[in-house]
Amino acid sequence: MPSSSQPSDHRARQRQGLEIPHGLCRRCVRALSRRLRDLPGVVSFEIDASAGRVWINGDVDPVVAQEAVRDLSEMTARATCADGCTHATPAVHGLESAGTTTPTTPASNDQRATGPSRRKPELRGRIGWVVAASLATGLVAALFLVAVPFVPGEESAVTGAVLCGFALGWAMLAVLSVRFTHQPQRWAAAPALFMGLGGVLLLGFGSSAHRVLDWVWPPALLALAIWMLVRAHRQLRSRNGRILLYPVIGFLAVAAIGGTYQTVGAAADARAYPMPGQLVDVGGHRLHIHCTGSGSPTVILEPGQGGASSDSGWVAPTLARDSTVCVYDRAGRGWSDPADGPQDATRIAADLHTLLERAQVPGPYVLAGHSSGGLYVQTFAANYPDQVAGLVLLDSTAPKPGPALPTRTQSYDVLGRVSAVFSAVAHLGAGRLIVQGSYGSLPPHFRGEARANASTAPYLASWIEEFVAANTSMQQAAALTNLDDKPLVVVTADTGNAAGWEQAQDKMATLSTNSSHRVAKDTTHATLLHDETDAAQASQAIHDVLRSVRTGSPLAQQ
């Protein structure tokens, strides 16, 4: 039986006829009825499921009417409804318009057959493929722009290039869906404009724009993601298209929430942990140094890879009771500025030498290096021997003799760009979440400082830089072959060491004729600096070197 909806009035109305799949079940008829009732200008309609035809009376846009029927056709082609009807997607032959007023009673079969000539079907693509192609294009464009030489390798520029690539993908979705499908997604122009504008600002103004945008983009992106979700839900009726788009929109929302968490957290950290020392220009960037205590020689503490001045929270205050002790942050760490170029041992040692000179910290110094920091103090001793009074190696990474590797290579530039991409993740709050479980054994204030500094993008970038240059740093540190009789203490943790680690520590102890190799009981590589009890053994080793320097006596053997 035909399903119809008749109004109470008998106004003249335009009549349109459209084909629908034959033999629709009741569920599909109800779905079509709901869609037709929502169309603007509909006065009445009749659905004849057995004949595969729907008649619409009223002032209805023909294109809108076609869309409503086509949606039903696509739905029945994709799935089998609960009542059991299954259809192939039929060709929608177009619409019939009487062009004059007609009565509301349904037209006879003869009238339907002799109506005006139908339009030829318009070929249209599938929206799911358009969504997939657009998202893939955005990803490929982002990767391409990151790799091109004319985009600087700085984090702000690389982030801007990624945003421009994604903007291209959203723009393609807006254009191609209008041009080649019956489900235009014009809303996609909004994220294209948002990301494109942000990318251009980052490419043009660099880190200065980053600082401003950090407060703008998270709430703006969250509002945009919610709006995108609503628009996609209303206008995208392809299940495959939704499967592709919804996770992307969800990721944008999560990124916006994470960005808000990071920006607010960083602002709170800046108030809670002001810089304790001073910034000194070392040539193109500034390094933070903080000296406490009094007495000579001055002790310089060099933390390991990923470490900063806050890592010395147990050792520095202990040493400051009877000597001058200085902690500093390498480039990109703590309160120091990022630096251009590779962060290998030679570059780090040169920066430290310039920093001490311009900060007017008198030498010679007792240098204490933990982990990879041991490589840096050994390189300092090799390049500036007159500035070294003694050395302490705290579970230090061992040098690796061999020919010096080039510091500027094509592979290094690629890794630098990759590190810039990964460091940008810190702006989404990922680093802040991860470090909440770290540095737990440091004193409370230093723990807060360490977590705050380790959650930033420059910190992550500098960590990757040092990791990439690790092999070069090991070879550069091998330049130190003799400390003569300058006091040297090598402290080795006794837990968690790799095979051959203690033998390498023994070899480093032979650098001086006045040396001592000590195995710290019940310590690990990290706790030697971060745990109060274990750090006391590191402090004692530095005290012993200070005493040897001051008195000229040999180190006591343990």
Side-chain angles (χ1 to χ4, degrees):
M1 292 292 294
S3 173
S4 64
S5 174
Q6 292 288 343
S8 59
D9 63 345
H10 298 282
R11 292 176 297 168
R13 52 185 69 89
Q14 191 180 37
R15 185 176 181 80
Q16 301 179 27
L18 296 172
E19 286 191 359
I20 60 175
H22 288 270
L24 286 180
C25 67
R26 293 179 180 178
R27 179 181 176 184
C28 291
V29 170
R30 287 195 299 269
L32 180 57
S33 298
R34 287 193 297 269
R35 181 61 60 85
L36 293 177
R37 289 191 188 99
D38 293 338
L39 294 180
V42 171
V43 176
S44 66
F45 58 85
E46 177 190 0
I47 301 174
D48 192 342
S50 60
R53 197 112 178 127
V54 60
W55 295 89
I56 304 174
N57 300 311
D59 186 14
V60 183
D61 186 344
V63 176
V64 175
Q66 274 189 315
E67 287 287 349
V69 174
R70 182 174 291 104
D71 293 342
L72 179 69
S73 300
E74 292 183 355
M75 180 187 73
T76 57
R78 290 195 303 266
T80 300
C81 74
D83 291 338
C85 73
T86 306
H87 307 280
T89 302
V92 179
H93 293 292
L95 59 86
E96 294 177 358
S97 176
T100 60
T101 59
T102 61
T104 59
T105 56
S108 66
N109 291 337
D110 292 339
Q111 288 175 314
R112 296 172 186 172
T114 59
S117 60
R118 297 167 179 166
R119 298 179 185 175
K120 295 181 64 176
E122 187 177 4
L123 296 178
R124 292 285 181 168
R126 297 190 57 156
I127 184 64
W129 288 106
V130 171
V131 172
S134 300
L135 294 179
T137 299
L139 179 61
V140 171
L143 295 175
F144 172 77
L145 290 176
V146 167
V148 294
F150 60 79
V151 174
E154 302 171 357
E155 183 230 330
S156 295
V158 171
T159 303
V162 170
L163 289 176
C164 288
F166 289 159
L168 177 61
W170 290 110
M172 282 191 60
L173 176 57
V175 173
L176 296 182
S177 64
V178 172
R179 178 66 180 85
F180 295 108
T181 76
H182 282 291
Q183 298 183 42
Q185 308 298 310
R186 295 183 177 88
W187 57 266
L193 180 62
F194 179 84
M195 294 183 183
L197 179 60
V200 170
L201 289 175
L202 289 175
L203 285 169
F205 298 96
S207 58
S208 59
H210 223 315
R211 287 190 290 270
V212 176
L213 292 176
D214 279 345
W215 285 101
V216 176
W217 75 263
L221 181 60
L222 182 59
L224 178 63
I226 295 173
W227 179 82
M228 291 167 61
L229 182 62
V230 172
R231 302 304 298 178
H233 180 72
R234 291 179 178 177
Q235 299 182 14
L236 184 61
R237 291 176 293 276
S238 166
R239 183 175 62 179
N240 291 336
R242 288 180 175 181
I243 289 174
L244 292 172
L245 271 184
Y246 282 0
V248 175
I249 297 175
F251 172 78
L252 294 179
V254 172
I257 296 171
T260 302
Y261 169 63
Q262 173 62 22
T263 302
V264 173
D269 289 340
R271 292 190 299 269
Y273 309 109
M275 182 178 65
Q278 61 175 322
L279 288 175
V280 178
D281 192 330
V282 296
H285 61 282
R286 301 171 302 168
L287 297 183
H288 167 250
I289 185 171
H290 180 48
C291 298
T292 55
S294 61
S296 62
T298 298
V299 177
I300 309 298
L301 299 179
E302 185 76 83
Q305 183 177 335
S309 57
S310 303
D311 288 52
S312 302
W314 291 117
V315 176
T318 301
L319 298 175
R321 295 169 187 166
D322 60 2
S323 184
T324 302
V325 56
C326 295
V327 295
Y328 85 106
D329 295 313
R330 297 193 290 271
R333 311 286 176 85
W335 292 271
S336 294
D337 297 336
D340 296 328
Q343 292 298 296
D344 54 33
T346 298
R347 174 68 180 273
I348 290 171
D351 278 354
L352 176 58
H353 180 261
T354 303
L355 172 65
L356 296 173
E357 185 178 68
R358 295 185 179 181
Q360 299 181 351
V361 179
Y365 316 102
V366 171
L367 300 172
H370 173 252
S371 188
S372 60
L375 298 175
Y376 306 147
V377 298
Q378 289 179 75
T379 304
F380 188 100
N383 295 344
Y384 312 101
D386 295 339
Q387 295 296 308
V388 177
L391 215 59
V392 181
L393 301 178
L394 303 173
D395 215 32
S396 170
T397 304
K400 183 174 67 176
L405 297 174
T407 57
R408 275 290 185 185
T409 63
Q410 184 177 4
S411 62
Y412 171 82
D413 290 336
V414 172
L415 288 172
R417 291 176 181 272
V418 172
S419 72
V421 172
F422 279 101
S423 64
V425 176
H427 291 288
L428 307 181
R432 183 170 296 275
L433 283 175
I434 293 172
V435 299
Q436 294 310 307
S438 303
Y439 308 104
S441 56
L442 284 174
H445 183 79
F446 291 99
R447 178 170 64 240
E449 281 186 352
R451 288 175 176 174
N453 292 328
S455 65
T456 64
Y459 167 87
L460 183 56
S462 66
W463 185 90
I464 297 174
E465 287 275 1
E466 289 189 20
F467 178 80
V468 170
N471 282 330
T472 300
S473 294
M474 286 190 285
Q475 293 176 335
Q476 292 169 344
L480 179 65
T481 58
N482 190 359
L483 281 171
D484 298 324
D485 61 350
K486 294 176 181 178
L488 165 66
V489 173
V490 177
V491 181
T492 305
D494 71 341
T495 304
N497 294 329
W501 183 265
E502 290 193 18
Q503 290 78 5
Q505 303 285 302
D506 285 332
K507 184 176 181 180
M508 285 187 288
T510 64
L511 290 171
S512 172
T513 57
N514 180 19
S515 66
S516 172
H517 182 194
R518 306 171 183 179
V519 177
K521 297 298 182 182
D522 301 322
T523 63
T524 66
H525 185 74
T527 62
L528 194 57
L529 205 62
H530 291 169
D531 180 78
E532 182 178 10
T533 302
D534 295 352
Q537 301 185 62
S539 300
Q540 184 60 52
I542 299 172
H543 273 302
D544 291 344
V545 170
L546 285 171
R547 186 182 302 110
S548 178
V549 172
R550 290 167 178 168
T551 63
S553 59
L555 290 165
Q557 298 299 315
Q558 295 186 3

